[in-house]
Amino acid sequence: MRIKRGVTKRKRHKKILQRAKGFYAARGALVRPARLAVEKSLVYAYRDRRQRKRQFHRLWITRINAAAREHGLSYSRFMAGLKTAGVEMDRKILAELAVSEPAAFSELCKLAQPAA
């Protein structure tokens, strides 16, 4: 008796079309274009999960630099000053302080100034 693959195929196609839900035109309705679109979207998702980390890192540095310059320090001198002062804070926290708590950030600038 031969084995028919209709059930398996439908299940696989359904899974692909479910992932392609909301895609434009044939990419969301027909199996082959949907499969290509889903594969491509997974590639983009993988790539962009790594890019997101880089983009946030750049954003934090930009915010820290802007806040440090208001206190007469460049970003590199500020970071070097913090390191010699023994302050161990990551860029994410420093950027958050720079935006939401300027008073606390100015204290850090005072700490970093003599060392810079």
Side-chain angles (χ1 to χ4, degrees):
M1 190 168 134
R2 71 191 185 97
I3 296 178
K4 295 168 17 174
R5 295 183 291 275
V7 175
T8 315
K9 181 194 257 185
R10 193 169 299 111
K11 189 176 175 185
R12 192 173 66 242
H13 285 184
K14 193 175 172 184
K15 197 166 27 171
I16 291 167
L17 289 171
Q18 190 62 41
R19 280 190 141 169
K21 200 171 188 175
F23 287 12
Y24 181 76
R27 308 178 96 203
L30 304 178
V31 175
R32 191 179 292 174
R35 183 176 54 81
L36 295 173
V38 165
E39 286 172 2
K40 190 68 168 177
S41 71
L42 291 171
V43 169
Y44 285 141
Y46 180 85
R47 180 198 68 188
D48 292 340
R49 278 195 298 275
R50 278 136 193 84
Q51 280 193 354
R52 182 175 55 214
K53 293 168 183 60
R54 290 181 223 150
Q55 288 167 355
F56 268 106
H57 199 256
R58 286 181 64 183
L59 176 67
W60 297 332
I61 289 172
T62 304
R63 286 179 175 174
I64 294 166
N65 187 27
R69 285 184 185 275
E70 287 179 359
H71 297 284
L73 286 167
S74 68
Y75 169 79
S76 58
R77 287 195 189 277
F78 173 69
M79 292 304 280
L82 286 183
K83 192 170 186 176
T84 54
V87 177
E88 289 186 18
M89 288 179 117
D90 62 2
R91 285 164 184 81
K92 180 181 176 180
I93 301 301
L94 287 170
E96 184 59 36
L97 282 175
V99 172
S100 63
E101 307 211 20
F105 191 83
S106 69
E107 291 301 314
L108 287 172
C109 286
K110 287 174 190 162
L111 270 173
Q113 211 125 30

